[in-house]
Coordinates of all heavy atoms in Angstrom, one line a residue:
M220 N 25.3 -7.8 -12.4 CA 24.5 -7.0 -11.6 C 25.2 -6.6 -10.3 O 25.9 -7.4 -9.7 CB 23.2 -7.7 -11.3 CG 22.0 -6.8 -10.9 SD 20.5 -7.7 -10.7 CE 19.6 -7.1 -12.1
Q221 N 25.1 -5.4 -9.9 CA 25.7 -4.9 -8.7 C 25.0 -5.3 -7.4 O 23.8 -5.5 -7.4 CB 25.8 -3.4 -8.7 CG 26.6 -2.8 -9.8 CD 26.6 -1.3 -9.9 OE1 25.9 -0.7 -9.1 NE2 27.4 -0.7 -10.8
V222 N 25.8 -5.5 -6.4 CA 25.2 -6.0 -5.1 C 24.2 -5.0 -4.6 O 23.1 -5.3 -4.1 CB 26.3 -6.3 -4.1 CG1 25.7 -6.6 -2.7 CG2 27.2 -7.4 -4.6
E223 N 24.5 -3.7 -4.7 CA 23.6 -2.6 -4.1 C 22.3 -2.6 -4.9 O 21.2 -2.4 -4.2 CB 24.3 -1.2 -4.2 CG 25.5 -1.1 -3.4 CD 26.8 -1.6 -4.0 OE1 26.8 -1.9 -5.2 OE2 27.7 -1.8 -3.3
R224 N 22.3 -2.9 -6.1 CA 21.1 -2.9 -6.9 C 20.2 -4.1 -6.5 O 19.0 -3.9 -6.3 CB 21.4 -3.0 -8.4 CG 20.2 -2.9 -9.3 CD 20.6 -2.8 -10.7 NE 19.4 -2.6 -11.6 CZ 19.5 -2.7 -12.9 NH1 20.6 -2.8 -13.5 NH2 18.4 -2.6 -13.6
V225 N 20.8 -5.2 -6.3 CA 20.0 -6.4 -5.8 C 19.5 -6.2 -4.4 O 18.3 -6.5 -4.2 CB 20.9 -7.7 -5.9 CG1 20.2 -8.8 -5.3 CG2 21.4 -8.0 -7.3
Q226 N 20.3 -5.5 -3.6 CA 19.8 -5.2 -2.2 C 18.6 -4.3 -2.3 O 17.6 -4.4 -1.5 CB 20.9 -4.6 -1.4 CG 22.0 -5.6 -1.0 CD 23.1 -4.9 -0.3 OE1 23.3 -3.7 -0.4 NE2 23.9 -5.8 0.4
R227 N 18.6 -3.3 -3.2 CA 17.5 -2.4 -3.3 C 16.2 -3.1 -3.8 O 15.1 -2.8 -3.4 CB 17.8 -1.2 -4.2 CG 18.7 -0.2 -3.6 CD 18.7 1.1 -4.4 NE 19.3 0.9 -5.7 CZ 20.5 1.2 -6.1 NH1 21.4 1.6 -5.2 NH2 20.9 1.0 -7.3
W228 N 16.4 -4.0 -4.8 CA 15.3 -4.8 -5.3 C 14.7 -5.6 -4.2 O 13.4 -5.7 -4.1 CB 15.7 -5.7 -6.4 CG 15.8 -5.0 -7.8 CD1 16.8 -4.2 -8.3 CD2 14.7 -5.0 -8.7 NE1 16.4 -3.8 -9.5 CE2 15.1 -4.2 -9.8 CE3 13.5 -5.6 -8.8 CZ2 14.4 -4.0 -10.9 CZ3 12.7 -5.4 -9.9 CH2 13.2 -4.6 -11.0
V229 N 15.5 -6.3 -3.4 CA 15.0 -7.2 -2.4 C 14.3 -6.4 -1.3 O 13.2 -6.7 -0.8 CB 16.1 -8.0 -1.7 CG1 15.7 -8.8 -0.5 CG2 16.7 -9.0 -2.8
A230 N 14.9 -5.3 -0.9 CA 14.3 -4.4 0.1 C 13.0 -3.8 -0.4 O 12.0 -3.8 0.4 CB 15.2 -3.3 0.5
S231 N 12.9 -3.4 -1.6 CA 11.7 -2.9 -2.2 C 10.6 -3.9 -2.2 O 9.4 -3.7 -1.9 CB 11.9 -2.4 -3.6 OG 12.8 -1.3 -3.6
A232 N 10.9 -5.2 -2.6 CA 10.0 -6.2 -2.7 C 9.4 -6.6 -1.3 O 8.2 -6.8 -1.1 CB 10.6 -7.5 -3.3
L233 N 10.3 -6.6 -0.3 CA 9.8 -6.8 1.1 C 8.9 -5.7 1.6 O 7.9 -6.0 2.2 CB 11.1 -7.0 2.0 CG 11.8 -8.3 1.9 CD1 13.1 -8.3 2.7 CD2 11.0 -9.5 2.3
V234 N 9.3 -4.5 1.4 CA 8.5 -3.4 1.9 C 7.1 -3.4 1.2 O 6.1 -3.3 1.9 CB 9.2 -2.0 1.7 CG1 8.3 -0.8 1.9 CG2 10.4 -1.9 2.6
L235 N 7.1 -3.5 -0.1 CA 5.9 -3.5 -0.8 C 5.0 -4.7 -0.4 O 3.8 -4.5 -0.2 CB 6.1 -3.5 -2.3 CG 5.0 -3.1 -3.2 CD1 4.5 -1.7 -2.8 CD2 5.4 -3.2 -4.6
T236 N 5.5 -5.9 -0.3 CA 4.7 -7.0 0.1 C 4.2 -6.9 1.5 O 2.9 -7.1 1.7 CB 5.6 -8.3 0.0 OG1 6.1 -8.4 -1.3 CG2 4.8 -9.5 0.3
V237 N 5.0 -6.6 2.5 CA 4.5 -6.5 3.8 C 3.5 -5.4 4.0 O 2.4 -5.6 4.6 CB 5.7 -6.3 4.8 CG1 5.2 -6.0 6.2 CG2 6.5 -7.6 4.8
C238 N 3.7 -4.2 3.5 CA 2.8 -3.1 3.6 C 1.5 -3.3 2.8 O 0.4 -3.0 3.3 CB 3.5 -1.8 3.2 SG 4.8 -1.3 4.3
T239 N 1.6 -3.9 1.6 CA 0.4 -4.2 0.9 C -0.5 -5.2 1.6 O -1.7 -5.1 1.6 CB 0.7 -4.7 -0.5 OG1 1.6 -3.7 -1.2 CG2 -0.5 -4.9 -1.4
L240 N 0.1 -6.2 2.1 CA -0.7 -7.2 2.9 C -1.4 -6.6 4.1 O -2.5 -6.9 4.4 CB 0.2 -8.4 3.3 CG 0.6 -9.4 2.2 CD1 1.6 -10.4 2.7 CD2 -0.6 -10.1 1.7
F241 N -0.6 -5.7 4.8 CA -1.2 -5.1 5.9 C -2.3 -4.1 5.5 O -3.4 -4.1 6.2 CB -0.1 -4.3 6.7 CG -0.6 -3.6 8.0 CD1 -1.0 -4.4 9.0 CD2 -0.7 -2.3 8.0 CE1 -1.5 -3.8 10.2 CE2 -1.1 -1.6 9.2 CZ -1.5 -2.4 10.3
A242 N -2.1 -3.3 4.5 CA -3.1 -2.4 4.0 C -4.4 -3.1 3.5 O -5.5 -2.7 3.8 CB -2.6 -1.5 2.9
T243 N -4.2 -4.2 2.8 CA -5.4 -5.0 2.4 C -6.1 -5.7 3.6 O -7.3 -5.7 3.6 CB -4.9 -6.1 1.4 OG1 -4.2 -5.5 0.3 CG2 -6.1 -6.9 0.8
G244 N -5.4 -6.1 4.5 CA -6.0 -6.6 5.7 C -6.8 -5.6 6.5 O -7.9 -5.9 7.0
M245 N -6.3 -4.4 6.6 CA -7.0 -3.3 7.2 C -8.3 -3.0 6.4 O -9.3 -2.7 7.0 CB -6.1 -2.1 7.4 CG -5.0 -2.3 8.3 SD -5.5 -2.7 10.0 CE -5.9 -1.1 10.6
A246 N -8.2 -3.0 5.1 CA -9.3 -2.7 4.3 C -10.4 -3.8 4.5 O -11.6 -3.5 4.5 CB -8.9 -2.5 2.8
I247 N -10.0 -5.1 4.5 CA -10.9 -6.1 4.7 C -11.5 -6.1 6.1 O -12.7 -6.3 6.2 CB -10.2 -7.5 4.4 CG1 -9.9 -7.6 2.9 CG2 -11.1 -8.7 4.9 CD1 -9.0 -8.8 2.6
L248 N -10.7 -5.7 7.1 CA -11.2 -5.6 8.4 C -12.3 -4.5 8.5 O -13.3 -4.6 9.3 CB -10.1 -5.3 9.4 CG -10.5 -5.2 10.9 CD1 -11.0 -6.5 11.4 CD2 -9.3 -4.7 11.6
S249 N -12.2 -3.5 7.7 CA -13.2 -2.4 7.7 C -14.6 -2.9 7.3 O -15.6 -2.3 7.7 CB -12.8 -1.3 6.8 OG -12.9 -1.6 5.4
G250 N -14.6 -3.9 6.5 CA -15.9 -4.5 6.1 C -16.5 -5.4 7.1 O -17.7 -5.7 7.0
T251 N -15.8 -5.9 8.1 CA -16.3 -6.8 9.0 C -16.6 -6.2 10.4 O -17.2 -6.9 11.2 CB -15.3 -8.0 9.2 OG1 -14.1 -7.4 9.7 CG2 -15.0 -8.7 7.9
V252 N -16.3 -5.0 10.6 CA -16.5 -4.4 11.9 C -18.0 -4.0 12.0 O -18.7 -3.7 11.0 CB -15.6 -3.2 12.2 CG1 -14.2 -3.6 12.2 CG2 -15.8 -2.1 11.1
D253 N -18.5 -3.9 13.2 CA -19.9 -3.6 13.5 C -20.1 -2.1 13.8 O -21.2 -1.6 13.7 CB -20.5 -4.5 14.6 CG -20.6 -5.9 14.2 OD1 -20.7 -6.2 13.0 OD2 -20.6 -6.8 15.1
R254 N -19.0 -1.5 14.3 CA -19.2 -0.1 14.6 C -19.3 0.8 13.4 O -18.5 0.6 12.4 CB -17.9 0.4 15.4 CG -17.9 -0.2 16.8 CD -16.7 0.4 17.5 NE -16.7 -0.1 18.9 CZ -15.8 0.3 19.8 NH1 -14.8 1.1 19.4 NH2 -15.8 -0.2 21.0
A255 N -20.2 1.7 13.4 CA -20.4 2.6 12.2 C -19.2 3.5 11.9 O -18.9 3.7 10.7 CB -21.7 3.4 12.4
G256 N -18.5 4.0 12.9 CA -17.5 4.9 12.6 C -16.1 4.3 12.3 O -15.2 5.0 12.0
A257 N -16.1 3.0 12.5 CA -14.8 2.3 12.3 C -14.4 2.1 10.9 O -13.2 2.1 10.5 CB -14.8 0.9 13.0
R258 N -15.4 1.9 10.0 CA -15.1 1.6 8.6 C -14.3 2.7 7.9 O -13.3 2.5 7.3 CB -16.4 1.4 7.9 CG -16.2 1.0 6.4 CD -17.4 0.6 5.7 NE -17.8 -0.8 6.3 CZ -18.9 -1.4 6.0 NH1 -19.8 -0.8 5.2 NH2 -19.2 -2.6 6.5
P259 N -14.7 4.0 8.0 CA -13.9 5.0 7.3 C -12.5 5.2 7.9 O -11.5 5.4 7.2 CB -14.7 6.3 7.5 CG -16.1 5.9 7.9 CD -16.0 4.6 8.5
G260 N -12.4 5.0 9.2 CA -11.1 5.1 9.9 C -10.1 4.0 9.4 O -9.0 4.2 9.1
L261 N -10.6 2.8 9.3 CA -9.8 1.7 8.9 C -9.4 1.8 7.4 O -8.3 1.4 7.0 CB -10.5 0.3 9.1 CG -10.6 -0.1 10.6 CD1 -11.5 -1.3 10.8 CD2 -9.2 -0.3 11.2
L262 N -10.4 2.3 6.6 CA -10.0 2.5 5.2 C -9.0 3.6 5.0 O -8.1 3.6 4.2 CB -11.3 2.9 4.4 CG -12.2 1.7 4.1 CD1 -13.5 2.2 3.4 CD2 -11.5 0.7 3.2
G263 N -9.1 4.6 5.9 CA -8.1 5.7 5.9 C -6.7 5.2 6.3 O -5.7 5.6 5.7
I264 N -6.7 4.3 7.3 CA -5.4 3.7 7.8 C -4.8 2.9 6.6 O -3.6 2.9 6.4 CB -5.6 2.9 9.0 CG1 -5.9 3.8 10.2 CG2 -4.4 2.1 9.3 CD1 -6.3 3.1 11.5
S265 N -5.7 2.2 5.9 CA -5.2 1.4 4.8 C -4.6 2.3 3.7 O -3.6 1.9 3.2 CB -6.4 0.6 4.2 OG -6.0 -0.1 3.1
C266 N -5.2 3.4 3.5 CA -4.6 4.4 2.5 C -3.3 4.9 2.9 O -2.3 5.0 2.1 CB -5.6 5.5 2.2 SG -7.1 5.0 1.3
V267 N -3.2 5.2 4.2 CA -1.9 5.8 4.7 C -0.8 4.7 4.7 O 0.3 5.0 4.3 CB -2.1 6.3 6.2 CG1 -0.8 6.6 6.8 CG2 -3.0 7.5 6.2
V268 N -1.1 3.5 5.0 CA -0.1 2.4 4.9 C 0.3 2.2 3.5 O 1.5 2.0 3.2 CB -0.7 1.1 5.6 CG1 0.3 -0.1 5.3 CG2 -0.8 1.3 7.0
G269 N -0.6 2.3 2.6 CA -0.3 2.1 1.1 C 0.6 3.3 0.7 O 1.6 3.1 -0.1
L270 N 0.3 4.5 1.1 CA 1.2 5.6 0.8 C 2.6 5.5 1.3 O 3.6 5.8 0.6 CB 0.6 6.9 1.3 CG -0.6 7.6 0.5 CD1 -1.2 8.7 1.2 CD2 0.0 8.0 -0.9
M271 N 2.7 5.0 2.5 CA 4.0 4.8 3.1 C 4.7 3.7 2.4 O 6.0 3.8 2.2 CB 3.9 4.4 4.6 CG 3.4 5.6 5.5 SD 3.5 5.3 7.3 CE 3.0 3.6 7.5
A272 N 4.0 2.7 1.9 CA 4.7 1.6 1.2 C 5.3 2.1 -0.1 O 6.4 1.9 -0.5 CB 3.7 0.5 0.9
M273 N 4.5 2.9 -0.9 CA 4.9 3.4 -2.2 C 6.0 4.4 -2.0 O 7.0 4.4 -2.8 CB 3.8 4.0 -3.0 CG 2.8 3.0 -3.4 SD 3.5 1.6 -4.4 CE 4.0 2.5 -5.9
A274 N 5.9 5.2 -1.0 CA 7.0 6.2 -0.7 C 8.3 5.5 -0.3 O 9.4 5.9 -0.7 CB 6.5 7.2 0.3
G275 N 8.1 4.5 0.5 CA 9.3 3.7 1.0 C 10.0 3.1 -0.2 O 11.3 3.1 -0.3
V276 N 9.3 2.5 -1.1 CA 9.9 1.9 -2.3 C 10.6 2.9 -3.1 O 11.8 2.7 -3.6 CB 8.9 1.1 -3.1 CG1 9.4 0.7 -4.4 CG2 8.4 -0.1 -2.3
R277 N 10.0 4.1 -3.3 CA 10.7 5.1 -4.1 C 11.9 5.6 -3.4 O 12.9 5.9 -4.1 CB 9.7 6.3 -4.3 CG 8.4 5.9 -5.1 CD 8.7 5.6 -6.5 NE 9.1 6.9 -7.2 CZ 9.4 6.9 -8.5 NH1 9.4 5.8 -9.2 NH2 9.8 8.0 -9.0
L278 N 11.9 5.8 -2.1 CA 13.1 6.2 -1.4 C 14.2 5.2 -1.4 O 15.4 5.6 -1.5 CB 12.7 6.6 0.1 CG 11.9 7.9 0.3 CD1 11.4 8.0 1.7 CD2 12.7 9.1 -0.2
I279 N 13.8 3.9 -1.2 CA 14.8 2.9 -1.3 C 15.6 2.9 -2.6 O 16.8 2.7 -2.7 CB 14.2 1.5 -1.0 CG1 13.8 1.4 0.4 CG2 15.2 0.4 -1.4 CD1 13.0 0.1 0.8
N280 N 14.8 3.1 -3.7 CA 15.5 3.2 -5.0 C 16.0 4.5 -5.4 O 16.3 4.8 -6.6 CB 14.4 2.7 -6.0 CG 14.2 1.2 -5.9 OD1 15.1 0.4 -6.0 ND2 12.9 0.8 -5.6
Q281 N 16.0 5.4 -4.4 CA 16.6 6.8 -4.6 C 15.9 7.5 -5.8 O 16.5 8.2 -6.6 CB 18.1 6.7 -4.8 CG 18.8 6.1 -3.6 CD 20.2 5.8 -3.9 OE1 20.7 6.0 -5.0 NE2 20.9 5.5 -2.8
K282 N 14.6 7.4 -5.8 CA 13.8 8.2 -6.8 C 12.9 9.2 -6.1 O 12.8 9.2 -4.9 CB 12.8 7.2 -7.5 CG 13.5 6.0 -8.2 CD 14.1 6.4 -9.5 CE 14.7 5.1 -10.1 NZ 15.4 5.4 -11.3
S283 N 12.3 10.1 -6.9 CA 11.5 11.1 -6.4 C 10.2 10.5 -5.8 O 9.6 9.6 -6.4 CB 11.1 12.1 -7.5 OG 10.1 13.0 -7.0
V284 N 9.8 11.0 -4.6 CA 8.7 10.4 -3.9 C 7.4 10.8 -4.6 O 6.4 10.0 -4.7 CB 8.6 10.8 -2.4 CG1 7.4 10.3 -1.7 CG2 9.9 10.3 -1.7
L285 N 7.3 12.1 -5.1 CA 6.1 12.6 -5.7 C 6.0 12.1 -7.2 O 6.8 12.5 -8.0 CB 6.1 14.1 -5.7 CG 6.0 14.7 -4.3 CD1 6.1 16.2 -4.4 CD2 4.7 14.3 -3.6
T286 N 5.1 11.1 -7.4 CA 5.0 10.5 -8.7 C 3.6 9.9 -8.8 O 2.9 9.7 -7.8 CB 6.0 9.3 -8.8 OG1 5.8 8.6 -10.0 CG2 5.8 8.3 -7.7
P287 N 3.1 9.7 -10.0 CA 1.8 9.1 -10.2 C 1.6 7.7 -9.6 O 0.5 7.3 -9.4 CB 1.6 9.1 -11.7 CG 2.5 10.1 -12.3 CD 3.7 10.2 -11.3
W288 N 2.7 7.1 -9.4 CA 2.7 5.7 -8.8 C 2.1 5.8 -7.4 O 1.6 4.7 -6.9 CB 4.1 5.1 -8.7 CG 4.6 4.6 -10.0 CD1 5.5 5.3 -10.8 CD2 4.2 3.4 -10.6 NE1 5.7 4.5 -11.9 CE2 5.0 3.4 -11.9 CE3 3.4 2.4 -10.3 CZ2 4.8 2.3 -12.8 CZ3 3.3 1.3 -11.2 CH2 4.0 1.3 -12.4
L289 N 2.1 6.9 -6.7 CA 1.4 7.0 -5.4 C 0.0 6.7 -5.4 O -0.6 6.4 -4.4 CB 1.7 8.4 -4.8 CG 3.1 8.7 -4.3 CD1 3.2 10.1 -3.8 CD2 3.5 7.7 -3.2
L290 N -0.7 6.9 -6.6 CA -2.1 6.6 -6.7 C -2.4 5.1 -6.5 O -3.5 4.7 -6.1 CB -2.6 7.0 -8.1 CG -2.6 8.5 -8.3 CD1 -3.0 8.8 -9.7 CD2 -3.5 9.3 -7.3
L291 N -1.4 4.2 -6.7 CA -1.6 2.8 -6.4 C -1.7 2.5 -4.9 O -2.2 1.5 -4.5 CB -0.4 2.0 -6.9 CG -0.3 1.8 -8.4 CD1 1.0 1.1 -8.8 CD2 -1.5 1.1 -8.9
A292 N -1.4 3.5 -4.1 CA -1.5 3.3 -2.7 C -2.9 3.2 -2.2 O -3.2 2.6 -1.2 CB -0.8 4.5 -1.9
F293 N -3.8 3.8 -3.0 CA -5.3 3.8 -2.6 C -6.0 2.5 -3.2 O -7.2 2.3 -2.9 CB -5.9 5.0 -3.2 CG -5.3 6.3 -2.6 CD1 -4.6 7.1 -3.4 CD2 -5.5 6.6 -1.3 CE1 -4.0 8.3 -2.9 CE2 -4.9 7.7 -0.7 CZ -4.2 8.6 -1.5
L294 N -5.3 1.7 -3.9 CA -5.9 0.6 -4.6 C -6.5 -0.5 -3.6 O -7.7 -0.8 -3.8 CB -4.9 -0.1 -5.5 CG -5.5 -1.2 -6.5 CD1 -6.5 -0.5 -7.4 CD2 -4.3 -1.8 -7.3
P295 N -5.8 -0.9 -2.6 CA -6.5 -1.9 -1.7 C -7.7 -1.3 -1.0 O -8.8 -2.0 -1.0 CB -5.4 -2.2 -0.7 CG -4.1 -1.9 -1.3 CD -4.4 -0.7 -2.2
A296 N -7.7 -0.1 -0.5 CA -8.8 0.5 0.1 C -10.0 0.7 -0.9 O -11.1 0.5 -0.5 CB -8.4 1.8 0.8
A297 N -9.6 1.2 -2.1 CA -10.7 1.4 -3.1 C -11.4 0.2 -3.5 O -12.6 0.1 -3.6 CB -10.1 2.2 -4.3
V298 N -10.6 -0.9 -3.8 CA -11.2 -2.1 -4.2 C -12.1 -2.8 -3.1 O -13.3 -3.1 -3.4 CB -10.1 -3.1 -4.7 CG1 -10.7 -4.5 -4.9 CG2 -9.4 -2.6 -5.9
V299 N -11.5 -2.9 -1.9 CA -12.3 -3.5 -0.9 C -13.5 -2.7 -0.4 O -14.6 -3.1 -0.2 CB -11.4 -3.9 0.3 CG1 -12.2 -4.4 1.5 CG2 -10.3 -4.9 -0.1
G300 N -13.2 -1.3 -0.4 CA -14.3 -0.4 0.0 C -15.5 -0.5 -1.0 O -16.6 -0.5 -0.6
S301 N -15.1 -0.5 -2.3 CA -16.2 -0.6 -3.3 C -16.9 -1.9 -3.3 O -18.1 -2.0 -3.5 CB -15.6 -0.3 -4.7 OG -14.7 -1.3 -5.0
I302 N -16.2 -3.0 -3.0 CA -16.9 -4.3 -2.9 C -17.9 -4.3 -1.7 O -19.1 -4.7 -1.9 CB -15.9 -5.4 -2.7 CG1 -15.1 -5.7 -4.0 CG2 -16.5 -6.7 -2.2 CD1 -13.9 -6.6 -3.9
Y303 N -17.5 -3.8 -0.6 CA -18.4 -3.7 0.6 C -19.5 -2.7 0.4 O -20.6 -2.9 0.8 CB -17.6 -3.4 1.9 CG -16.9 -4.6 2.4 CD1 -15.5 -4.5 2.6 CD2 -17.5 -5.8 2.6 CE1 -14.8 -5.6 3.1 CE2 -16.7 -6.9 3.0 CZ -15.4 -6.8 3.3 OH -14.7 -7.9 3.7
W304 N -19.2 -1.6 -0.3 CA -20.3 -0.6 -0.6 C -21.3 -1.2 -1.6 O -22.5 -1.0 -1.4 CB -19.6 0.6 -1.2 CG -20.6 1.7 -1.4 CD1 -21.3 2.4 -0.4 CD2 -21.1 2.2 -2.6 NE1 -22.1 3.3 -1.0 CE2 -22.0 3.2 -2.4 CE3 -20.8 1.9 -3.9 CZ2 -22.6 3.9 -3.4 CZ3 -21.4 2.5 -4.9 CH2 -22.3 3.6 -4.7
L305 N -20.9 -1.9 -2.6 CA -21.8 -2.5 -3.5 C -22.6 -3.7 -3.0 O -23.8 -3.9 -3.4 CB -21.1 -3.0 -4.8 CG -20.5 -1.9 -5.7 CD1 -19.7 -2.5 -6.8 CD2 -21.6 -1.0 -6.2
S306 N -22.1 -4.4 -2.0 CA -22.8 -5.5 -1.4 C -23.7 -5.1 -0.3 O -24.5 -6.0 0.1 CB -21.8 -6.5 -0.9 OG -21.1 -6.0 0.2
G307 N -23.7 -3.9 0.0 CA -24.7 -3.5 1.0 C -24.1 -3.0 2.3 O -24.3 -2.6 3.2

């Protein structure tokens, strides 16, 4: 295996892990705030961070940014938002 390929894998894993944890944290925080207008804003920030993570991984691996994989960026916000919406 080439060194550059391993470096891309490691960098991709780091970017995806850090950004996904941050996006999920922002989505969870949106369910705990008391301000009415804060929830959509925090969910929106969570989506943007997820988009940046997926785009960053694609760029690190020198692939096209526009791909169906970008839909995974909305996963943390969609899951946590739906849980809080269903619970009341």
Side-chain angles (χ1 to χ4, degrees):
M220 200 177 249
Q221 297 176 354
V222 174
E223 293 84 13
R224 186 172 180 187
V225 174
Q226 288 174 340
R227 283 195 300 262
W228 275 85
V229 170
S231 297
L233 285 173
V234 166
L235 195 60
T236 302
V237 170
C238 290
T239 303
L240 286 172
F241 183 69
T243 305
M245 293 300 281
I247 291 171
L248 182 65
S249 73
T251 61
V252 295
D253 292 333
R254 291 185 177 181
R258 182 172 290 173
L261 289 171
L262 286 174
I264 292 171
S265 175
C266 290
V267 169
V268 170
L270 280 172
M271 290 188 325
M273 291 305 294
V276 168
R277 298 290 291 178
L278 287 174
I279 288 171
N280 290 302
Q281 300 171 350
K282 304 283 185 183
S283 173
V284 176
L285 297 175
T286 178
W288 284 102
L289 285 178
L290 294 176
L291 285 177
F293 301 111
L294 192 62
V298 169
V299 173
S301 63
I302 288 171
Y303 284 126
W304 182 69
L305 290 174
S306 67

